[in-house]
Amino acid sequence: MFKSILFPTDGSELSEKATATAVQFAMLHQARMVGITVVQPVAMTPISDTGVVVDVGDFSVQMQEAAREHIDKLAAAANIAGVPFEGIISTSTVPFEEIIEASKRFNCDLIIMATHGHTGLDKFLLGSQTDKVLSNTTLPVLVLR
């Protein structure tokens, strides 16, 4: 029924738990899996309120490395299950839009994602990325807890 499944991951504990289910679902449907991690660019000035210089470049490199680790873990799980896999790392100030765009770009027919991830206070102020994907895509979305 499903041929191409998009699985956004942010490396959160809940996202890590959802990985096994998403990979098994893809395996059962003989579908390929596209994993995506969206890195939000740093939106701060080089000098913080305390007068301490913040190395934005170093922080960005660390975020890219963490994103690569998330995708590599997902790729390893897919490989063990024999699920065709493609991983992408995107940078966007609006992660849910990037997730929806990736679902179109990779011709996905299902999005599987965890209920929430590393959103902190943003989740309460703006709503989770999952909520935003649900509200803005025409694809079916399987939400995992």
Side-chain angles (χ1 to χ4, degrees):
M1 178 176 196
F2 299 107
K3 299 296 176 201
S4 183
I5 299 169
L6 182 70
F7 182 70
T9 182
D10 63 1
S12 66
E13 183 179 334
L14 194 55
S15 184
E16 293 284 328
K17 284 182 178 179
T19 296
T21 302
V23 169
Q24 185 176 32
F25 192 90
M27 183 179 69
L28 290 172
H29 287 270
Q30 297 179 349
R32 80 176 176 134
M33 185 174 228
V34 177
I36 181 172
T37 295
V38 181
V39 177
Q40 290 181 281
V42 179
M44 65 175 92
T45 60
I47 299 178
S48 71
D49 293 339
T50 61
V52 176
V53 176
V54 177
D55 187 347
V56 175
D58 188 46
F59 182 75
S60 294
V61 168
Q62 290 175 5
M63 294 302 294
Q64 288 292 327
E65 289 171 356
R68 173 56 43 209
E69 288 177 20
H70 304 327
I71 292 297
D72 289 348
K73 283 182 186 178
L74 185 53
N79 185 44
I80 290 169
V83 172
F85 179 80
E86 185 166 353
I88 55 173
I89 298 172
S90 295
T91 301
S92 176
T93 57
V94 190
F96 83 91
E97 288 180 355
E98 189 63 27
I99 291 166
I100 293 169
E101 182 57 36
S103 72
K104 295 173 185 174
R105 194 169 56 244
F106 290 91
N107 297 314
C108 296
D109 45 20
L110 175 68
I111 300 171
I112 299 177
M113 59 192 309
T115 54
H116 59 279
H118 289 303
T119 56
L121 187 58
D122 177 58
K123 179 176 189 260
F124 298 106
L125 297 176
L126 302 173
S128 75
Q129 297 303 311
T130 303
D131 291 338
K132 292 175 184 177
V133 169
L134 283 166
S135 299
N136 291 282
T137 187
T138 57
L139 290 178
V141 180
L142 175 59
V143 179
L144 303 173
R145 271 186 205 253

